[in-house]
Amino acid sequence: TDPALLMDCADGVAVLRLNRPQALNAFTAELLATLRETLDRLGAEESVRAVVITGEGRAFCAGQDLSDPHVAPVPGEAPKDIGYLIEHFYAPMARALRACRVPTVCAVNGVAAGAGLSLALGCDLVVASEKASFVLGFNKIGLVPDAGSTWLLPRLVGRARAMELALLGDKLSATDALAWGLINRCVAPDALLEEAKALAVRLAVLPTRALVRTRQLLDEAQTLSFGEALKAEGVAQSELGFAHDYREGVEAFMQKRAPRYTDR
Ligand code: T3D
């Protein structure tokens, strides 16, 4: 059988494809572990400077595979501890994504449901096909949103819209998702991968370390006061000020040439 996660690399961009199309790319524990390990590994590979995540087939990802008897309830059997799955598979994947040492772009090719939506929103930039849609759906199976979506959603769209998505669980079209500020771009299905790759290539030639530090600062500032955020910016700026890429960036600007960034 095909591996559940496919990868190819070109121009400093690694493209990851969730590859369980027959199951709408639903997550298994194995797929979650592979995704986490892959994100960690790619972040440490010098030749990789950005990651694109997309799905094979008509869906992006339907969230947890509810037909997996190891996880989902089976009639007549005792309930399983799904907290274990969250702690050891979903949370580590979400953390690896948010801590990835290179920028991430999601190319949402079809429906993103449950933790599939969390995966998409956890990326730095999100491009969706006009055919894509977003649905939390946890409300319909008696669970709470997970894999980071309780944190991400209200920050992206505000509490009112986050509550609507979480409590009603309606499917949001890609055009509405764009209008709501949930995603960055909505493009024709045929243009999706090229658009996502083009954004990733742009990110790949920028100073990786500064980009990743920027993500970290924006995330951390959510719980800081204005004064604390100013301090955190100062710490990061001082660190980057000693690094190669700052010197290279200014030098290239003054010499009117393209910079060559290398810091990680
Ligand atoms: O243990 C835990 O659950 C904890 C972990 C939590 C993390 C989570 O992500 S929980 C949330 C799990 N996901 C969902 O609840 C979403 C369920 N799926 C849907 O709501 C819909 O299928 C979609 C909105 C994703 C797509 O709708 P649509 O109309 O395009 O397709 P469909 O007809 O509903 O589905 C097509 C097939 O895929 C269908 O099977 P069939 O009838 O062709 O044999 C459907 O059962 C199957 N499928 C869809 N989602 C899943 C799935 N099979 C297993 N797991 C799924 N998540």
Side-chain angles (χ1 to χ4, degrees), residues 20-27 32 58-59 61-68 70-73 80-83 85-86 90 111-118 133-141 143-147 169 171:
R20 305 187 66 234
Q22 71 291 352
L24 305 188
N25 298 320
F27 285 128
L32 289 162
R58 77 168 173 96
C61 174
Q64 169 61 37
D65 189 332
L66 297 173
S67 68
D68 183 349
H70 299 297
V71 175
K80 299 159 184 92
D81 180 9
I82 56 176
L85 186 75
I86 304 301
Y90 280 98
V111 65
L117 179 144
S118 315
S133 56
F134 299 84
V135 54
L136 269 180
F138 295 89
N139 62 325
K140 295 179 183 155
I141 55 169
L143 295 180
V144 295
D146 64 16
K171 222 184 236 183

Side-chain angles (χ1 to χ4, degrees), residues 1-4 19:
T1 56
D2 286 337
N19 186 38

